[in-house]
Amino acid sequence: MRRDSLRLEEYFLLSSACLQVYALQTSSADSIQRGNIMRKTLLALALGLTTMTAFAAGEHGSSQAAVGDADINRTIRLEAGDMWFGSENLDISPGDTIKFEIVNTGNIEHEFVIGDTEAQEAHRKMMQEMSGSHGNGGHGGHGGHVMAEGEHGGNMPSVTIAPGETAELVWTAPRNVRGLEYACNIPGHYEAGMSGNIDLQG
């Protein structure tokens, strides 16, 4: 749905630009006025593309809400290497808002997904099925899938991290849940050890 709204916004911006260029060609205004209209058109296109890029940046079913730095209780920097995460256990207090900074120091794409064991298993199974049907062992061909719901409700928060890149995920730890798991469910990655526990006993 987000992609459809982005396409609609992109269409609107391009249509607007075309109308302004047409008005420029049919107008009897002098060259200064034409220059001003052209600058405004280019500015509108640049701002529109920047806005679309910002909206499209949240990937993979992420449920990131707009949270200010003042609302974040803690930042956790986590390294994702070739088939491992830098930590196996995280202690987080229920209700805390955490900003995860996941750095992919490896040579392949990874994902960082938070959910309960059952939801992680369902997501892993779906990733396996998609891998088999697309002939793609990686993550590239599965865009737009919906994450399964976990014990804590809602979609599983997640990000995809390209090699050499850093991704951020802002997440509020649920209450009344004993523990969750974070994992990379790209086929073969979880099995190789890319997972860890989140203890919410605070």
Side-chain angles (χ1 to χ4, degrees):
M1 186 164 170
R2 173 178 275 173
R3 287 186 177 157
D4 291 339
S5 65
L6 288 176
R7 287 187 188 135
L8 187 61
E9 182 178 325
E10 184 178 24
Y11 176 77
F12 174 76
L13 286 171
L14 290 174
S15 298
S16 175
C18 290
L19 287 174
Q20 287 186 2
V21 169
Y22 176 77
L24 231 174
Q25 290 175 345
T26 59
S27 172
S28 61
D30 61 9
S31 62
I32 294 173
Q33 233 177 353
R34 289 181 193 168
N36 287 338
I37 292 173
M38 186 59 79
R39 277 192 289 280
K40 288 178 184 176
T41 301
L42 291 174
L43 179 62
L45 282 172
L47 288 174
L49 291 174
T50 302
T51 302
M52 287 189 317
T53 302
F55 284 135
E59 302 179 41
H60 200 198
S62 171
S63 59
Q64 296 186 46
V67 175
D69 286 340
D71 297 326
I72 295 173
N73 299 101
R74 186 171 152 202
T75 298
I76 297 175
R77 191 167 177 88
L78 195 62
E79 186 178 355
D82 285 330
M83 303 303 174
W84 52 267
F85 281 117
S87 181
E88 292 182 12
N89 294 301
L90 300 174
D91 292 323
I92 297 174
S93 297
D96 276 1
T97 298
I98 308 296
K99 178 165 99 173
F100 289 99
E101 294 177 348
I102 305 99
V103 183
N104 186 348
T105 59
N107 296 311
I108 55 178
E109 185 176 71
H110 295 295
E111 68 175 8
F112 178 82
V113 181
I114 299 172
D116 63 34
T117 304
E118 288 179 12
Q120 294 281 11
E121 287 175 9
H123 181 58
R124 220 169 6 265
K125 181 179 178 186
M126 187 246 348
M127 294 288 284
Q128 287 285 347
E129 290 170 358
M130 293 182 78
S131 172
S133 66
H134 294 298
N136 179 0
H139 212 240
H142 82 301
H145 66 269
V146 176
M147 296 287 199
E149 288 194 10
E151 175 184 340
H152 59 284
N155 289 336
M156 294 167 54
S158 63
V159 290
T160 302
I161 316 104
E165 298 292 323
T166 299
E168 291 183 354
L169 176 70
V170 176
W171 171 73
T172 300
R175 299 181 190 278
N176 303 320
V177 175
R178 300 190 87 175
L180 297 170
E181 182 178 41
Y182 62 90
C184 176
N185 291 308
I186 295 173
H189 294 210
Y190 180 88
E191 294 77 6
M194 289 200 78
S195 66
N197 295 313
I198 298 176
D199 181 10
L200 294 172
Q201 300 306 304

